[in-house]
Every structure is written in structure tokens, then in C-alpha cells.
Amino acid sequence: MSADAFIAAELIRLEAFLPEWQGLRPTLLARFSPSFHGDQARWLSAINHLQSVGRSEEALRKLMPWRKGPWSFGEVAIDTEWRSDWKWARLQPHLNRLCGKRVLDAGCGNGYFGWRLLDAGAHAVIGIDPTLLYCMQHLAVATLQGTANNWVLPMTLEEAPLSACFDLVMSMGVIYHRRDPIDHVRRLFECTASGGEVVLESLIVEAERNLHPPDRYARMRNVHVVPTIGQVINWLAQVGFINARVVDVTVTSIEEQRSSDWMRFESLREALDPRDPLRTVEGHPAPVRAIVIALKP
């Protein structure tokens, strides 16, 4: 099966599984087309190669940089920038029973957590992320892992139909990039079924006030606010979530986020002040991340 045929089949399968989202297929097919992005032809060629021959380090390297993982396909081990398995280990013990549940992962990257959620019993995971490369990485993984109820779609949460059909909604490392954080949390609420849960993970500042970086934060341009934990809980309460609880607060280390042979750009080490690793190069507090879980009544 060609990459184009595989993509079309996956979108048809998604429509049958999630009728609430019918009508998205023409837009998504256009975004997966070779004309949508200058590198798309190369990425599709990599998927075609994997479809034909199976595991291939050469083909997987055409989809670099790999940021979320790690992944292992036989003798091919992808050492990603993030040790996302560490974050999953911190989150999983706090999730309610996943068996039979539908999950939305907003800003999912390449869909790493989707596979872990399926392994933990989730019935299906729909991931959305506007970065096309991450969607292509997911297709590569799906090609090698086999058909599963795990999709990654090239779109934003703002484009998603606001149907309250998900038992668990996740937003990991997204909210501080939003110009209107409360709108983001409201959309998460609208997608969550009654009795369902939201997982909201964010950079936080351990201070009395939110941090509004005037330019960059840890070399990232689009960080609009680094909230306090109290602010995160307040956002959740404002839109109607209840019983918010902080399940993890962890300082991001250069062992958890770092450059690798599969992500050769600069990473966290270069974003920290070499004289004071508790500060970013801009002089802000170094990255700390918190995971908050709340309930939709």
C-alpha cells in the first residue's frame, strides 16, 4: 500500500470510528498532500519505503528530528530529544482506569503517549498537532506497529469539532504557547464528556505571580505565559472543571531533554545559563513542569 493510500484508509477508518468528526477528511487530505509542505515529498518517500521494506533506519532518519520517544523497532533504536517515557511514568499511576475509554491528546507531537495509552487499556486515542512532520512520524510508527486505534491529525484544537465525546482529554506542554490560555482550557472542557478527566501539563513558575517573558523563554519565542500552579488550577475552575489535583512537579533536567543522534539541534543544556543552571540564558527561572488532573462534572 502506498503512503497516500495508507493515509486515506486511516482517515476513512477514523470517520467510521468517530462520526462526530466527519467532514474533516478533505482538509486533512490536502494537508497530507505533497504540495502542502516543501519537505512532504521526502517524508512521503520515507513512509513508502517503510511500507515496502519494513524497518529501515535510513527511512526513519529522513523524518528527523525526532523529539518525543524513545522508540525501538527491532535493531533500530531512536534516541529522541525527550525521554517521554519518564513523563509517562510520572503520569500513569494517577490516571483512572482507561479500559474502553476514548482519549483526545491536544498537541500530541508524534503520538508517543497515544501508544502508551493504548497499552494501558484505552480504546482509542485521537491526537492532534499542527506540525506536519510529527504527523508523518506517527504514520511511520503506525506502519511498523500495525493498525491501531491511534491517529495523529495535522490540525489545531481550534479546528477540532467541539463535541463532548472524550473520556480523557490531555494537553501536555501546550498552554504556555497559547495567547489566550483560558480559551484553550475552555476548548478542553467542551471536548470532555461528563464524568471525564482532563490532564493539563505546563511549565510553571514557583513564585507568587505568573511570568510573562518579554521576548524568549529558554530560547523559545512563543512562550506567552509561564503560570503559577495556582493559576493553572484557577483556569480549570473558571471553565467548570472540579477537583483539580497536582499529581507531579518536576524540574526538567538535561538528562530528560537533550540533543541526540536523532535530534541534532541544540536542546535544554544550551537554553540554561552555563554559570547558573537554575536560570535560563535570559535570566528566568529554569524549566519546572507540573501535571494537574481535574474532573468534568
Coordinates of all heavy atoms in Angstrom, one line a residue, residues 205-265:
V205 N 6.0 28.5 37.1 CA 7.0 29.3 37.8 C 6.6 29.2 39.3 O 5.4 29.3 39.7 CB 7.0 30.7 37.3 CG1 5.6 31.4 37.5 CG2 8.1 31.5 38.0
E206 N 7.6 28.8 40.1 CA 7.3 28.7 41.5 C 7.6 30.1 42.2 O 8.6 30.4 42.8 CB 8.3 27.6 42.1 CG 8.0 26.2 41.5 CD 8.9 25.1 42.0 OE1 10.1 25.3 41.9 OE2 8.4 24.1 42.5
A207 N 6.5 30.9 42.0 CA 6.6 32.3 42.5 C 5.2 32.7 42.8 O 4.2 32.0 42.7 CB 7.2 33.2 41.5
E208 N 5.0 34.0 43.2 CA 3.7 34.5 43.6 C 2.9 34.9 42.3 O 1.7 35.0 42.3 CB 3.8 35.7 44.5 CG 4.4 35.3 45.9 CD 4.4 36.5 46.8 OE1 4.0 37.6 46.4 OE2 4.9 36.3 48.0
R209 N 3.6 35.3 41.3 CA 3.0 35.8 40.0 C 3.4 35.0 38.8 O 4.5 34.4 38.8 CB 3.3 37.3 39.8 CG 2.9 38.2 41.0 CD 3.3 39.6 40.7 NE 2.9 40.5 41.7 CZ 3.1 41.8 41.7 NH1 3.8 42.4 40.7 NH2 2.7 42.6 42.7
N210 N 2.5 35.0 37.8 CA 2.8 34.4 36.5 C 4.0 35.1 35.9 O 4.3 36.3 36.2 CB 1.7 34.5 35.6 CG 0.4 33.8 36.1 OD1 0.5 32.9 36.9 ND2 -0.7 34.3 35.6
L211 N 4.8 34.4 35.1 CA 5.9 35.0 34.4 C 5.4 35.3 32.9 O 4.9 34.3 32.2 CB 7.1 34.1 34.4 CG 8.3 34.4 33.5 CD1 8.9 35.7 33.9 CD2 9.3 33.3 33.5
H212 N 5.6 36.5 32.5 CA 5.3 36.9 31.1 C 6.6 37.2 30.4 O 7.1 38.4 30.5 CB 4.3 38.0 31.0 CG 3.0 37.7 31.6 ND1 2.0 37.1 30.8 CD2 2.5 37.8 32.8 CE1 0.9 36.9 31.5 NE2 1.2 37.3 32.8
P213 N 7.3 36.3 29.8 CA 8.6 36.6 29.2 C 8.5 37.7 28.1 O 7.6 37.6 27.2 CB 9.1 35.3 28.5 CG 8.3 34.2 29.2 CD 7.0 34.9 29.6
P214 N 9.3 38.8 28.2 CA 9.1 39.8 27.2 C 9.6 39.4 25.8 O 9.1 40.0 24.8 CB 10.0 40.9 27.8 CG 11.0 40.2 28.6 CD 10.3 39.0 29.2
D215 N 10.5 38.5 25.7 CA 11.0 38.0 24.4 C 11.0 36.5 24.3 O 10.0 35.9 23.8 CB 12.4 38.6 24.1 CG 12.9 38.3 22.7 OD1 12.1 37.9 21.9 OD2 14.1 38.4 22.5
R216 N 12.0 35.9 24.8 CA 12.0 34.4 24.8 C 12.1 33.8 26.2 O 12.5 34.5 27.2 CB 13.3 34.0 24.0 CG 13.3 34.4 22.6 CD 14.4 33.8 21.8 NE 14.6 34.3 20.5 CZ 15.3 33.7 19.5 NH1 16.0 32.6 19.8 NH2 15.4 34.2 18.3
Y217 N 11.7 32.5 26.3 CA 11.9 31.8 27.5 C 12.7 30.5 27.1 O 12.2 29.7 26.3 CB 10.6 31.4 28.2 CG 10.8 30.5 29.4 CD1 11.1 31.1 30.6 CD2 10.7 29.1 29.2 CE1 11.3 30.2 31.7 CE2 10.9 28.3 30.3 CZ 11.2 28.9 31.6 OH 11.4 28.1 32.6
A218 N 13.9 30.3 27.7 CA 14.7 29.1 27.4 C 14.8 29.0 25.9 O 14.7 27.9 25.3 CB 14.1 27.9 28.0
R219 N 15.0 30.1 25.2 CA 15.3 30.2 23.8 C 14.0 30.0 22.9 O 14.1 30.0 21.7 CB 16.4 29.3 23.3 CG 17.8 29.7 23.8 CD 18.9 28.9 23.1 NE 20.2 29.5 23.4 CZ 21.3 29.1 22.9 NH1 21.3 28.0 22.1 NH2 22.4 29.7 23.2
M220 N 12.9 29.7 23.6 CA 11.6 29.6 22.8 C 11.0 30.9 22.6 O 10.8 31.7 23.6 CB 10.7 28.6 23.6 CG 11.1 27.2 23.7 SD 9.9 26.1 24.4 CE 10.1 26.6 26.2
R221 N 10.6 31.2 21.4 CA 10.0 32.5 21.1 C 8.5 32.7 21.5 O 8.1 33.7 21.8 CB 10.1 32.8 19.5 CG 11.4 33.1 19.0 CD 11.3 33.6 17.6 NE 12.6 34.0 17.0 CZ 13.4 33.2 16.3 NH1 12.9 31.9 16.0 NH2 14.5 33.5 15.8
N222 N 7.8 31.6 21.4 CA 6.3 31.7 21.6 C 5.8 31.3 22.9 O 4.8 30.6 23.0 CB 5.6 30.9 20.5 CG 6.0 29.4 20.5 OD1 7.1 29.1 21.1 ND2 5.2 28.6 19.9
V223 N 6.5 31.6 24.0 CA 6.0 31.4 25.3 C 5.4 32.7 25.8 O 6.1 33.6 26.1 CB 7.1 30.9 26.3 CG1 6.6 30.8 27.7 CG2 7.7 29.6 25.8
H224 N 4.0 32.7 25.9 CA 3.3 33.9 26.3 C 3.1 34.0 27.8 O 3.1 35.2 28.3 CB 2.0 33.9 25.6 CG 2.1 33.8 24.1 ND1 2.6 34.8 23.3 CD2 1.8 32.8 23.2 CE1 2.6 34.4 22.0 NE2 2.1 33.2 22.0
V225 N 3.0 32.9 28.5 CA 2.9 33.0 29.9 C 3.4 31.7 30.6 O 3.2 30.6 30.0 CB 1.5 33.2 30.4 CG1 0.5 32.2 29.9 CG2 1.3 33.4 31.9
V226 N 4.2 31.8 31.6 CA 4.6 30.6 32.5 C 3.8 30.8 33.8 O 4.1 31.7 34.6 CB 6.1 30.6 32.7 CG1 6.4 29.3 33.5 CG2 6.8 30.5 31.4
P227 N 2.7 30.1 34.0 CA 1.8 30.3 35.1 C 2.3 29.7 36.4 O 3.2 28.8 36.4 CB 0.5 29.6 34.7 CG 1.0 28.5 33.8 CD 2.2 29.0 33.1
T228 N 1.8 30.2 37.5 CA 1.9 29.5 38.8 C 1.0 28.3 38.8 O 0.0 28.2 38.0 CB 1.6 30.5 39.9 OG1 0.2 30.8 39.8 CG2 2.4 31.8 39.9
I229 N 1.2 27.4 39.7 CA 0.3 26.3 39.9 C -1.1 26.8 40.2 O -2.1 26.3 39.7 CB 0.8 25.3 40.9 CG1 2.0 24.5 40.4 CG2 -0.3 24.3 41.3 CD1 2.5 23.5 41.3
G230 N -1.2 27.8 41.1 CA -2.5 28.4 41.4 C -3.2 28.9 40.2 O -4.4 28.7 40.1
Q231 N -2.5 29.5 39.3 CA -3.1 30.0 38.1 C -3.7 28.9 37.2 O -4.8 28.9 36.7 CB -2.2 30.8 37.2 CG -2.7 31.4 35.9 CD -3.8 32.4 36.2 OE1 -3.5 33.6 36.4 NE2 -5.1 32.0 36.1
V232 N -2.9 27.8 37.1 CA -3.4 26.6 36.3 C -4.7 26.1 36.9 O -5.7 25.8 36.2 CB -2.3 25.5 36.3 CG1 -2.9 24.2 35.6 CG2 -1.1 26.0 35.5
I233 N -4.7 25.9 38.3 CA -5.9 25.4 38.9 C -7.1 26.4 38.7 O -8.2 26.0 38.5 CB -5.6 25.2 40.4 CG1 -4.6 24.0 40.6 CG2 -6.9 24.9 41.2 CD1 -4.1 23.8 42.0
N234 N -6.8 27.7 38.8 CA -7.8 28.7 38.6 C -8.4 28.7 37.2 O -9.6 28.8 37.0 CB -7.3 30.1 38.9 CG -8.3 31.2 38.8 OD1 -9.4 31.1 39.4 ND2 -8.1 32.2 38.0
W235 N -7.6 28.5 36.2 CA -8.1 28.3 34.8 C -9.0 27.2 34.7 O -10.1 27.3 34.1 CB -6.9 28.1 33.8 CG -6.1 29.4 33.5 CD1 -6.5 30.7 33.5 CD2 -4.7 29.4 33.1 NE1 -5.5 31.5 33.2 CE2 -4.4 30.8 32.9 CE3 -3.8 28.4 32.9 CZ2 -3.1 31.2 32.5 CZ3 -2.5 28.8 32.5 CH2 -2.2 30.2 32.3
L236 N -8.7 26.1 35.3 CA -9.5 24.9 35.2 C -10.9 25.1 35.9 O -11.9 24.8 35.4 CB -8.8 23.7 35.9 CG -7.6 23.1 35.1 CD1 -6.8 22.2 36.0 CD2 -8.0 22.4 33.8
A237 N -10.8 25.8 37.0 CA -12.1 26.1 37.8 C -12.9 27.1 37.0 O -14.2 27.0 37.0 CB -11.7 26.6 39.2
Q238 N -12.3 28.0 36.4 CA -13.1 29.1 35.7 C -14.0 28.5 34.6 O -15.1 29.0 34.4 CB -12.1 30.1 35.0 CG -11.7 31.2 35.8 CD -10.9 32.2 35.0 OE1 -9.7 32.2 35.1 NE2 -11.6 33.1 34.3
V239 N -13.5 27.4 33.9 CA -14.3 26.9 32.8 C -15.3 25.8 33.3 O -16.1 25.3 32.5 CB -13.5 26.4 31.7 CG1 -12.5 27.5 31.2 CG2 -12.7 25.1 32.0
G240 N -15.2 25.3 34.5 CA -16.1 24.4 35.1 C -15.5 23.0 35.5 O -16.3 22.2 36.1
F241 N -14.2 22.8 35.4 CA -13.6 21.6 35.9 C -13.6 21.7 37.4 O -13.6 22.7 38.0 CB -12.2 21.4 35.4 CG -12.1 21.0 34.0 CD1 -11.6 21.8 33.0 CD2 -12.5 19.7 33.6 CE1 -11.5 21.4 31.7 CE2 -12.3 19.3 32.3 CZ -11.9 20.1 31.3
I242 N -13.7 20.5 38.1 CA -13.7 20.4 39.5 C -12.6 19.5 40.0 O -12.1 18.7 39.2 CB -15.1 20.0 40.1 CG1 -15.4 18.6 39.6 CG2 -16.1 21.0 39.7 CD1 -16.7 18.1 40.2
N243 N -12.4 19.5 41.3 CA -11.5 18.5 42.0 C -10.1 18.5 41.3 O -9.5 17.4 41.2 CB -12.1 17.1 42.0 CG -13.4 17.0 42.7 OD1 -13.7 17.9 43.5 ND2 -14.2 16.0 42.4
A244 N -9.6 19.6 41.0 CA -8.2 19.7 40.4 C -7.2 19.3 41.4 O -7.2 19.7 42.6 CB -7.9 21.1 39.9
R245 N -6.3 18.4 41.0 CA -5.2 18.0 41.9 C -3.9 18.0 41.2 O -3.8 17.6 40.0 CB -5.5 16.6 42.5 CG -5.6 15.5 41.5 CD -6.2 14.2 42.1 NE -5.9 13.0 41.3 CZ -6.6 12.7 40.3 NH1 -7.6 13.4 39.8 NH2 -6.3 11.5 39.6
V246 N -2.8 18.5 41.9 CA -1.5 18.5 41.3 C -0.9 17.1 41.6 O -0.7 16.7 42.8 CB -0.6 19.6 41.9 CG1 0.8 19.6 41.4 CG2 -1.3 20.9 41.8
V247 N -0.5 16.3 40.5 CA 0.0 15.0 40.7 C 1.5 14.9 40.5 O 2.1 13.9 40.9 CB -0.7 14.0 39.8 CG1 -2.2 14.0 40.1 CG2 -0.5 14.3 38.3
D248 N 2.1 15.9 40.0 CA 3.5 15.9 39.8 C 4.1 17.3 39.6 O 3.5 18.1 38.8 CB 3.9 15.0 38.6 CG 5.4 14.9 38.4 OD1 6.0 14.1 39.2 OD2 6.0 15.5 37.6
V249 N 5.2 17.6 40.2 CA 6.0 18.8 39.9 C 7.5 18.3 39.7 O 8.0 17.7 40.7 CB 5.9 19.8 41.0 CG1 6.8 21.0 40.7 CG2 4.4 20.3 41.2
T250 N 8.1 18.6 38.6 CA 9.4 18.0 38.3 C 10.2 19.1 37.6 O 9.8 19.7 36.6 CB 9.3 16.8 37.4 OG1 8.6 15.7 38.1 CG2 10.7 16.3 37.1
V251 N 11.4 19.3 38.1 CA 12.4 20.2 37.4 C 12.9 19.4 36.2 O 13.3 18.2 36.2 CB 13.6 20.5 38.3 CG1 14.6 21.3 37.6 CG2 13.1 21.2 39.5
T252 N 12.8 20.1 35.0 CA 13.3 19.4 33.8 C 14.8 19.4 33.8 O 15.5 20.4 33.9 CB 12.8 20.2 32.5 OG1 11.4 20.3 32.6 CG2 13.2 19.4 31.3
S253 N 15.4 18.2 33.6 CA 16.8 18.0 33.7 C 17.4 17.9 32.3 O 16.7 17.6 31.3 CB 17.2 16.8 34.5 OG 16.8 15.6 33.8
I254 N 18.7 18.1 32.2 CA 19.4 17.9 30.9 C 19.5 16.4 30.5 O 20.0 16.1 29.4 CB 20.7 18.6 30.8 CG1 21.6 18.1 32.0 CG2 20.5 20.1 30.9 CD1 23.1 18.7 31.9
E255 N 19.2 15.5 31.4 CA 19.1 14.1 31.1 C 17.7 13.8 30.4 O 17.7 12.8 29.6 CB 19.3 13.2 32.3 CG 20.7 13.3 32.9 CD 21.1 14.5 33.6 OE1 20.1 15.1 34.3 OE2 22.2 15.0 33.5
E256 N 16.7 14.5 30.8 CA 15.4 14.2 30.3 C 15.1 14.9 28.9 O 14.4 14.4 28.1 CB 14.3 14.7 31.3 CG 12.9 14.3 30.8 CD 11.8 14.6 31.9 OE1 12.2 15.0 33.0 OE2 10.6 14.3 31.6
Q257 N 15.7 16.0 28.7 CA 15.6 16.8 27.4 C 17.0 17.1 27.0 O 17.7 18.0 27.6 CB 14.8 18.0 27.6 CG 14.6 18.8 26.3 CD 13.9 20.1 26.4 OE1 13.8 20.6 27.6 NE2 13.5 20.7 25.4
R258 N 17.5 16.6 25.8 CA 18.8 16.8 25.4 C 19.0 16.5 23.9 O 18.1 15.8 23.3 CB 19.8 16.0 26.2 CG 19.8 14.4 25.9 CD 18.7 13.7 26.7 NE 18.8 12.3 26.6 CZ 18.3 11.5 25.6 NH1 17.7 12.0 24.6 NH2 18.5 10.2 25.7
S259 N 20.0 17.0 23.3 CA 20.3 16.6 21.9 C 20.7 15.1 21.9 O 21.1 14.5 22.8 CB 21.5 17.4 21.4 OG 21.3 18.8 21.6
S260 N 20.5 14.6 20.7 CA 20.8 13.2 20.4 C 21.2 13.0 19.0 O 21.1 13.9 18.2 CB 19.6 12.3 20.8 OG 18.6 12.3 19.8
D261 N 21.5 11.8 18.6 CA 21.9 11.5 17.2 C 20.6 11.6 16.3 O 20.8 11.6 15.1 CB 22.5 10.1 17.1 CG 23.1 9.8 15.8 OD1 23.8 10.7 15.2 OD2 22.9 8.7 15.2
W262 N 19.4 11.5 16.9 CA 18.2 11.6 16.2 C 17.6 13.0 16.3 O 16.5 13.3 15.7 CB 17.2 10.6 16.6 CG 17.7 9.2 16.2 CD1 18.6 8.4 16.9 CD2 17.2 8.4 15.1 NE1 18.7 7.2 16.2 CE2 17.9 7.2 15.1 CE3 16.3 8.7 14.1 CZ2 17.7 6.2 14.2 CZ3 16.1 7.7 13.1 CH2 16.8 6.4 13.2
M263 N 18.2 13.9 17.1 CA 17.7 15.3 17.2 C 19.0 16.1 17.5 O 19.4 16.3 18.6 CB 16.7 15.5 18.4 CG 15.8 16.7 18.2 SD 16.7 18.3 18.2 CE 17.3 18.4 19.9
R264 N 19.6 16.6 16.4 CA 20.9 17.1 16.4 C 21.0 18.6 16.7 O 22.1 19.2 16.7 CB 21.7 16.8 15.2 CG 21.9 15.3 15.0 CD 22.5 14.9 13.7 NE 22.7 13.4 13.6 CZ 23.0 12.8 12.4 NH1 23.2 13.5 11.3 NH2 23.2 11.5 12.4
F265 N 19.8 19.3 16.9 CA 19.8 20.7 17.2 C 20.2 20.9 18.7 O 20.2 20.0 19.5 CB 18.5 21.3 16.9 CG 18.1 21.2 15.4 CD1 17.1 20.3 15.0 CD2 18.8 21.9 14.4 CE1 16.8 20.1 13.7 CE2 18.5 21.7 13.1 CZ 17.4 20.9 12.7

